[in-house]
Amino acid sequence: VVTSDVLREARILILHMGRDFSFDDCGRAFTCLPVEEPGAPAEALVCNLDSLLGTMTHWLCVGSPPGVWVCSTDMLLTVPSAPEIDWDGFQGVRVIAVPGSQAYARNHGVYLADEQGLVRDIIYKGTEAQIQQCAGPDGTVPLVCGVVFFSSDAAEQLLATHVVPPLDACTYMGLDSGAPPIQLSLFFDIVLCMAGGMTEEDFVKGGGDAIVRSARSVLWTALRAFPLSMACIPDASYDYMTTSASDHICSLTLLPGSASHFRFCKTAHSHVDQPWLLEDGSSVTNCLLEGAVRLAAGSVIQHCHLQGPLEIGPGCLVSGLATGSSPALQGCPLRDVVLQGHHVRLHDLPCRVFTLTGRLDDWQSPADEATYLNVPWAEFFHRTGIQEGDLWDAEMPRRSRCLLSARLFPVLHACEALGLEDVLWLLAPAAVASERLVRWRAAWRMSWQELLPCLDKAAELGARRALFFLQGQHKVRRVLLGHQDSSLLPLTRSAIHEGYHEAVLGTLDEVASTAGDAGIAARALACIADVLGCMARGEGGLRSGPAANREWASAFGRLESGDIAGGVRELAAERQKWMSRPALLVRAARHYEGAEQILVRQAVMSSCRFVTVGQAELPPLGHWVQVVCPARLDLSGGWSDTPPITYEHGGAVVDVAVLVDGCRPIGARVRRISEPELRLVSLGGAPQSEAAVELVCRELEHLQDYCQPHAPGALLKAAFICTQVVQFPSQKPLRAQLMESFGGGFEVHTWSKLPHGSGLGTSSILAGAVMASLYRAAGKAASTESLIHAVLHLEQRLTTGSGGWQDQVGGLVPGIKIGRSKAQLPLRVEVEKIPVPDGFTQTLNDHLLLVYTGKTRLARNLLQDVVRNWYARLPSAVQNANTLVSNAEECAQALRQGNLPLIGKCLDRYWQQKKCMAPGCEPLAVGCMMDALRPYVYGQCLAGAGGGGFLYVLTKGPWQKEALQQILTKTEGLGNFSIHSIEVDTGGFSVEVVGCDPK
């Protein structure tokens, strides 16, 4: 029960639904506006109701005390920014006004207020003199705009009157008690009684009949004590939605700068095949326009599915037409008319009815003085042969004969289906009209007045929704096939919410299987994963996880073999078995991400065409070929080298090859041995260490697990296969292959002095070292560019899912450089060395330090999240990819200038970008460490993807190792950190044949 206690702290908004509207079957509140809401979590049509709700919630009601807001929905209200309404010491009731011209006020209500902002009177359709006295210094007048606020006290008093006769007859309580209904106006009965200039006698007398006078008397007693104040919102605009078609078309084509959370669009939520045929100043909302549809300026199409060739001239409003209406329109150029299709229910019979009126027609003017289809009725009768008796009963008085009551619109015909042509003929020249007239007379016809109560609003909203998702499916195709950076997630959420997910899934299947492009197909599969993930509605476990369930293996196999269409079909068939509950949906989503990874790998493996291998001398049996490599520091742009971002957006990364504590920390050596086998030895931390892990492969099946990154020796096995030293799969056994080609087998040793998860690019650089030494030991030679692309290829075969190119660029190319990839396939990495001023390399060495944070990176799913956000084209991910690349170019420029503070700025910006790309990559301890160091550094950043490993800092002064050691020792909560010197390695990696004794 709404008692005074409930009202005390309540904040209530009542939206009045208003009356019927001739230009929208769902009324003024649900009239669609030609706007889109770019930041909305779900994509939907924007109605006037949404706009008003947004304006009230975000702008007008902000800061108001508890109470009741009442807002009409029969106007377009625009508030561009948050108004400064002063609520200090507020009591009583407050009306909101909007400034308007005195000319506009002649047909509307205005407030007369005093200097204190208290309302003296409300004047409706006043004389010029009355309106003049309401004007402010700038000549505008405060218009009544349909918004009122009642304080809790005033609301309580008003509510108390609902049980007092005759006011109980305004509610169903009174009606159900048998009282005759009475109608009151919010403004001219309830609000007006509080206006300061009113006397009780004038107010009560102005009520008309006795029952209203008695109601006004009760209101006066209840509310008179409350002050009525006015707040006029300076830059707002107000537009009452009249019954004039011209006004309505204007408001949809010349929308004022809509409230900031909406964006005005010429084509809102529509798919248009040939957008260049829509003139500026026209408007299309929730439509599917196929073929050549011309639309002139000053015309509006809403909720239509049309097929060209069609021409719609100026001054038209066309709505609610389905594709079947297109042929009738094709030979009929429209101009200055309102043409609408309606869903009507006659008892239980659903049917479609079309209405046609002129832009300048008035619904209620008597026929003797009015027009139909913009010409006098007499002229219309003469041209068509229709007579007054066809439209109005003989006993209807002449003054009541108007467009509203004219039975013009065919509803049913005894033996024929009715269509759009049954109203379009009303525009036709006399020669055509005669044959149509007979059919028109034979049909059962209704007037707009008779049609109104039969409008089927549920069917109308259903048709709008179906059309919205039909154009949505076209949007999906447009965005994916056009490589657009728009996010499909908001549309996905709406489709699931409204039960249209199957349609969206079908469209995504179709795009994936017919695009003929692995890149597009991969994104389509990622979108399917998003649909399935959203369907789980936050239940069913983490989105990231394993994706190797046997049930999906057959579909994956097809994708691996290059049969994308067959693979997508099998995935869709398998998907049907996983739709019943959240846990299954999430697992299916993971497998779709697994499938998308297969296609990404294929796209990236296109880079192997940039690997060229020459011949070199075969080193003697037993002679080691040794390669040692520097680590890499990424100074800017990392993540932009990650597939698919690197080939869909384009990437740029600034990298430096570095010695850590004076040495190159990563290395490999290979020698031929007489036994036809592969000995794989991991030495741990140094070339002289004891063997930590030793593995011997004598059969081809020992290499089978090369593509599982966590299998022992996977990297080394993959290297043998990718360098084609070993053919796999093959009919020829391993021993036979090795004896034939090399007269024996190979022994490989690898080492890295860097801890696991260091962020310094160890695994990719190690892959480069192994491949370089293996090529050379097998009598082959590969350039650095070839090695960079060979490592890309190897990492895709390894299915680590990472496979960016910055690590190997950083470790295999000496010194300071920027690597770039274009937004295209095949993926090619181009490296440009960055020339720095003389002596600057040494300056950099003196100012760069490496701090081991003691944290290891735990983020297994970091990459999956980044790729998922990129494929969903989350605006933040797209924006971040742009700034990563621009920051890398800026960093390269700062290095060319030798500008340490500017380089530091780029590092700090880069760290913010990494955190945006992969939230959670800054552990608390690392945050503390960075805070402690901030005053002493130009910039700092965690190496690699972050989450742990090494922090590199660019100090303000040179040789700061001891100073930082002391600062960090004093800082609490850091755990075991250590500080290391680094210097730029200008020599780069080396391949040496070192003889039999590697020591």
Side-chain angles (χ1 to χ4, degrees):
V1 180
V2 184
T3 58
S4 54
D5 298 350
V6 173
L7 278 175
R8 200 61 17 234
E9 287 304 314
R11 295 168 185 278
I12 296 170
L13 168 62
I14 296 172
L15 290 165
H16 272 167
M17 290 307 298
R19 310 183 225 346
D20 298 313
F21 186 43
S22 25
F23 307 115
D24 198 297
D25 292 359
C26 299
R28 290 176 172 91
F30 289 96
T31 297
C32 283
L33 305 180
V35 297
E36 289 183 356
E37 198 175 358
E43 199 166 303
L45 298 175
V46 177
C47 307
N48 190 30
L49 184 94
D50 299 305
S51 170
L52 288 168
L53 194 54
T55 299
M56 296 300 291
T57 308
H58 301 299
W59 300 130
L60 287 181
C61 302
V62 175
S64 70
V68 178
W69 284 90
V70 183
C71 174
S72 156
T73 58
D74 57 9
M75 76 294 189
L76 298 168
L77 184 62
T78 307
V79 180
S81 58
E84 303 293 317
I85 301 178
D86 180 12
W87 292 101
D88 279 355
F90 166 78
Q91 287 179 310
V93 176
R94 175 163 286 172
V95 291
I96 302 293
V98 167
S101 69
Q102 296 187 29
Y104 189 81
R106 281 185 209 135
N107 290 312
H108 296 277
V110 282
Y111 294 113
L112 176 64
D114 60 19
E115 279 76 66
Q116 281 73 51
L118 292 172
V119 177
R120 309 281 309 148
D121 198 1
I122 307 174
I123 294 156
Y124 182 63
K125 292 194 178 177
T127 62
E128 265 184 63
Q130 285 177 310
I131 292 171
Q132 178 65 50
Q133 86 188 93
C134 302
D138 61 355
T140 62
V141 291
L143 298 171
V144 175
C145 76
V147 181
V148 194
F149 175 69
F150 293 87
S151 65
S152 298
D153 293 336
E156 189 186 334
Q157 281 300 313
L158 178 60
L159 193 62
T161 64
H162 88 278
V163 291
V164 181
L167 285 176
D168 61 347
C170 292
T171 71
Y172 73 86
M173 304 294 266
L175 296 184
D176 291 357
S177 310
I182 64 167
Q183 220 177 9
L184 291 182
S185 151
L186 172 62
F187 286 94
F188 296 104
D189 291 315
I190 295 175
V191 174
L192 187 63
C193 73
M194 294 173 275
M198 270 287 142
T199 64
E200 181 170 11
E201 191 186 351
D202 286 347
F203 177 67
V204 174
K205 253 201 336 227
D209 59 18
I211 198 149
V212 177
R213 286 205 296 276
S214 140
R216 279 191 165 204
S217 170
V218 173
L219 288 169
W220 181 273
T221 311
L223 299 175
R224 180 59 191 173
F226 292 106
L228 177 65
S229 57
M230 173 186 86
C232 193
I233 313 298
D235 44 2
S237 68
Y238 155 85
D239 203 357
Y240 180 73
M241 297 166 79
T242 67
T243 54
S244 145
S246 296
D247 289 355
H248 188 58
I249 290 170
C250 270
S251 65
L252 293 178
T253 49
L254 306 169
L255 255 163
S258 343
S260 62
H261 40 284
F262 296 126
R263 183 180 65 203
F264 174 77
C265 302
K266 182 162 82 173
T267 53
H269 300 297
S270 297
H271 174 78
V272 181
D273 274 354
Q274 303 183 17
W276 54 90
L277 295 179
L278 310 179
E279 291 183 14
D280 286 343
S282 64
S283 162
V284 177
T285 306
N286 196 35
C287 287
L288 186 50
L289 305 182
E290 299 175 301
V293 178
R294 274 185 188 280
L295 184 61
S299 281
V300 175
I301 309 184
Q302 292 198 326
H303 315 300
C304 288
H305 180 182
L306 299 175
Q307 268 163 331
L310 282 183
E311 191 158 340
I312 294 172
C316 293
L317 170 64
V318 180
S319 81
L321 302 186
T323 162
S325 300
S326 303
L329 276 175
Q330 281 166 3
C332 181
L334 301 178
R335 189 187 183 99
D336 290 324
V337 292
V338 176
L339 177 60
Q340 295 169 281
H342 309 274
H343 289 266
V344 171
R345 193 168 266 282
L346 306 166
H347 297 298
D348 283 330
L349 178 70
C351 57
R352 301 276 287 138
V353 176
F354 300 96
T355 58
L356 177 69
T357 54
R359 177 171 68 85
L360 305 170
D361 298 346
D362 181 78
W363 286 103
Q364 290 178 317
S365 304
D368 297 341
E369 307 151 22
T371 60
Y372 177 54
L373 296 177
N374 309 315
V375 298
W377 278 100
E379 191 180 317
F380 169 73
F381 290 146
H382 178 72
R383 179 169 54 75
T384 56
I386 291 175
Q387 295 168 3
E388 281 199 46
D390 292 325
L391 302 180
W392 297 286
D393 296 336
E395 56 272 19
M396 183 177 272
R398 289 204 73 76
R399 299 298 298 163
S400 305
R401 296 183 183 190
C402 61
L403 177 52
L404 194 60
S405 59
R407 292 201 190 102
L408 276 161
F409 310 117
V411 176
L412 284 176
H413 192 285
C415 50
E416 295 179 66
L418 293 174
L420 189 57
E421 55 281 4
D422 292 289
V423 295
L424 283 179
W425 77 274
L426 299 172
L427 290 166
V432 185
S434 53
E435 67 213 55
R436 282 280 169 190
L437 180 58
V438 180
R439 177 175 155 113
W440 179 85
R441 280 202 169 122
W444 175 29
R445 302 181 312 282
M446 293 170 81
S447 66
W448 182 239
Q449 203 167 18
E450 293 165 328
L451 277 170
L452 266 173
C454 306
L455 293 176
D456 187 344
K457 294 181 171 63
E460 177 59 35
L461 288 169
R464 288 180 189 184
R465 181 170 57 193
L467 187 54
F468 175 79
F469 286 108
L470 190 58
Q471 68 79 30
Q473 286 168 263
H474 281 261
K475 174 180 176 169
V476 169
R477 286 189 199 100
R478 188 171 73 235
V479 166
L480 295 180
L481 296 172
H483 301 280
Q484 294 177 13
D485 282 343
S486 316
S487 176
L488 293 174
L489 259 181
L491 181 64
T492 296
R493 291 192 188 105
S494 302
I496 290 163
H497 201 79
E498 301 274 14
Y500 278 82
H501 48 274
E502 286 297 344
V504 173
L505 286 170
T507 304
L508 290 166
D509 286 337
E510 177 205 335
V511 171
S513 54
T514 58
D517 173 315
I520 292 174
R523 184 174 170 195
L525 295 182
C527 291
I528 293 176
D530 272 337
V531 176
L532 300 173
C534 288
M535 284 175 72
R537 298 181 192 254
E539 295 174 28
L542 288 173
R543 271 291 298 275
S544 298
N549 185 298
R550 290 212 188 97
E551 304 289 330
W552 298 81
S554 160
F556 280 21
R558 280 189 180 253
L559 295 176
E560 294 276 12
S561 72
D563 175 9
I564 294 181
V568 170
R569 264 198 313 277
E570 279 199 32
L571 287 170
E574 183 59 36
R575 175 177 81 213
Q576 291 307 318
K577 308 171 195 165
W578 297 68
M579 305 286 275
S580 58
R581 59 177 195 271
L584 293 178
L585 282 163
V586 170
R587 287 164 65 196
R590 290 180 195 151
H591 283 82
Y592 262 94
E593 289 187 350
E596 145 230 310
Q597 277 301 318
I598 293 172
L599 297 180
V600 171
R601 285 203 294 278
Q602 288 177 352
V604 174
M605 286 202 276
S606 64
S607 66
C608 67
R609 71 177 65 180
F610 304 115
V611 178
T612 48
V613 179
Q615 287 304 311
E617 192 191 341
L618 194 66
L621 197 72
H623 280 230
W624 290 102
V625 176
Q626 179 158 303
V627 173
V628 283
C629 296
R632 74 97 186 89
L633 275 191
D634 51 320
L635 298 189
S636 284
W639 281 124
S640 75
D641 65 310
T642 308
I645 301 173
T646 186
Y647 61 79
E648 288 187 353
H649 175 275
V653 185
V654 175
D655 273 320
V656 188
V658 292
L659 307 177
V660 179
D661 290 331
C663 75
R664 294 184 181 145
I666 300 160
R669 56 174 174 243
V670 180
R671 67 172 174 185
R672 287 192 300 125
I673 52 178
S674 50
E675 296 82 10
E677 62 189 27
L678 307 178
R679 288 187 202 148
L680 314 178
V681 181
S682 170
L683 294 176
Q688 284 79 32
S689 316
E690 289 304 304
V693 182
E694 195 165 336
L695 203 71
V696 180
C697 303
R698 297 192 176 89
E699 311 290 342
L700 274 180
E701 41 267 31
H702 294 158
L703 299 177
Q704 215 157 352
D705 56 0
Y706 80 93
C707 56
Q708 292 165 11
H710 301 297
L715 177 85
L716 302 181
K717 293 174 184 177
F720 276 102
I721 292 165
C722 291
T723 52
Q724 298 185 331
V725 170
V726 172
Q727 300 298 320
F728 178 90
S730 165
Q731 297 302 307
K732 193 178 285 184
L734 179 61
R735 304 172 77 91
Q737 285 189 38
L738 292 172
M739 287 312 291
E740 259 175 53
S741 304
F742 306 104
F746 289 89
E747 182 173 351
V748 188
H749 293 186
T750 59
W751 63 89
S752 162
K753 299 181 179 179
L754 300 170
H756 181 68
S758 66
L760 299 179
T762 314
S763 60
S764 302
I765 297 171
L766 189 59
V770 170
M771 289 177 100
S773 52
L774 198 49
Y775 273 132
R776 186 71 193 81
K780 300 178 182 182
S783 66
T784 304
E785 189 195 7
S786 290
L787 278 172
I788 288 167
H789 292 92
V791 173
L792 256 179
H793 184 245
L794 175 134
E795 291 199 320
Q796 295 309 319
R797 295 289 287 268
L798 252 185
T799 67
T800 50
S802 59
W805 43 256
Q806 62 146 327
D807 298 350
Q808 59 266 36
V809 168
L812 299 178
V813 180
I816 305 169
K817 61 265 159 183
I818 180 167
R820 297 186 183 90
S821 64
K822 294 193 175 81
Q824 63 186 45
L825 288 171
L827 170 58
R828 182 171 199 165
V829 184
E830 294 170 308
V831 183
E832 176 197 332
K833 296 202 171 173
I834 299 174
V836 296
D838 286 347
F840 181 69
T841 304
Q842 189 50 50
T843 310
L844 212 50
N845 294 344
D846 298 339
H847 288 260
L848 268 177
L849 282 171
L850 208 49
V851 183
Y852 185 60
T853 60
K855 303 278 166 217
T856 50
R857 202 163 72 232
L858 300 173
R860 276 283 297 116
N861 302 326
L862 210 67
L863 181 80
Q864 276 173 293
D865 294 342
V866 170
V867 171
R868 184 178 308 126
N869 293 344
W870 169 254
Y871 267 139
R873 290 306 191 276
L874 296 188
S876 59
V878 174
Q879 174 61 28
N880 204 27
N882 294 338
T883 54
L884 278 166
V885 170
S886 59
N887 189 49
E889 296 294 352
E890 205 170 311
C891 182
Q893 199 45 41
L895 284 159
R896 287 184 199 106
Q897 297 163 4
N899 182 337
L900 283 180
L902 192 54
I903 296 168
K905 234 188 213 139
C906 292
L907 297 188
D908 281 342
R909 199 179 305 143
Y910 182 30
W911 181 234
Q912 296 310 318
Q913 291 163 349
K914 284 187 184 185
K915 287 198 287 188
C916 167
M917 214 53 158
C921 66
E922 183 179 87
L924 274 174
V926 174
C928 295
M929 190 179 275
M930 292 176 98
D931 290 342
L933 296 175
R934 195 157 285 119
Y936 309 96
V937 302
Y938 284 127
Q940 52 188 337
C941 185
L942 272 184
F950 283 97
L951 171 73
Y952 58 93
V953 297
L954 187 65
T955 57
K956 289 179 179 171
W959 316 300
Q960 293 289 298
K961 189 171 171 182
E962 274 63 42
L964 294 197
Q965 182 77 41
Q966 287 176 358
I967 293 159
L968 293 179
T969 308
K970 289 185 204 144
T971 309
E972 282 182 16
L974 293 191
N976 42 356
F977 66 91
S978 53
I979 301 185
H980 305 265
S981 66
I982 38 173
E983 53 198 281
V984 178
D985 180 1
T986 49
F989 80 105
S990 55
V991 181
E992 295 172 283
V993 180
V994 292
C996 295
D997 179 10
K999 297 190 175 57

